[in-house]
Amino acid sequence: INTYGSRHTDSIVTENANTAKVFIDRVDAANVFHNCSTRFSDGFRYGFGAEVGISTQKMPPRGPVGLEGLVTYKYQLSGDGHIAATYTGENAKPFTHRDL
C-alpha cells in the first residue's frame, strides 16, 4: 500500500483489533480507517467547508483540503534603517549569534 497507494485514504476491514492497529500505524496515508467507508474522507465531513482539493504529500495540507488549507501568508515590512534590537523585559533571552 505504501508503495502503490495514493497516500490519500486507505481502509482495512477486519475483526482483529491488533491487525487493524498495525495497519493504521504503518500505512502512510492522510486518512487511515478501520471498518468504515473511505467515503468518510471528505473535507466537508471534517468541517473544512467546501472541499477545494486533496493533497497526498506529507507536509500540510494533507488529505482533504478546504479553503483555509490553501491560504498562505506573506508578511511585508518597510523600514527606514530600523534594526531588530536585543529582546528586553523580564526573562528576555539574548541573541546567540556569534562570528565563526
Side-chain angles (χ1 to χ4, degrees):
I1 290 172
N2 288 338
T3 300
Y4 299 107
S6 71
R7 296 185 186 258
H8 185 275
T9 304
D10 291 297
S11 181
I12 187 171
V13 176
T14 182
E15 293 181 3
N16 186 307
N18 187 56
T19 299
K21 181 177 180 348
V22 169
F23 180 86
I24 289 170
D25 289 346
R26 293 186 182 176
V27 170
D28 182 15
N31 308 278
V32 185
F33 301 152
H34 170 216
N35 287 352
C36 59
S37 170
T38 58
R39 292 183 68 189
F40 280 105
S41 176
D42 177 78
F44 186 77
R45 291 181 193 273
Y46 287 173
F48 301 153
E51 185 175 313
V52 295
I54 60 170
S55 175
T56 57
Q57 65 184 4
K58 283 191 169 194
M59 296 295 291
R62 187 174 192 195
V65 180
L67 182 59
E68 186 176 316
L70 295 179
V71 175
T72 61
Y73 299 93
K74 178 178 182 179
Y75 300 94
Q76 298 179 347
L77 178 67
S78 295
D80 187 22
H82 295 85
I83 63 168
T86 301
Y87 293 107
T88 61
E90 190 174 327
N91 299 318
K93 299 209 184 278
F95 286 111
T96 58
H97 301 92
R98 58 188 168 115
D99 292 334
L100 296 177

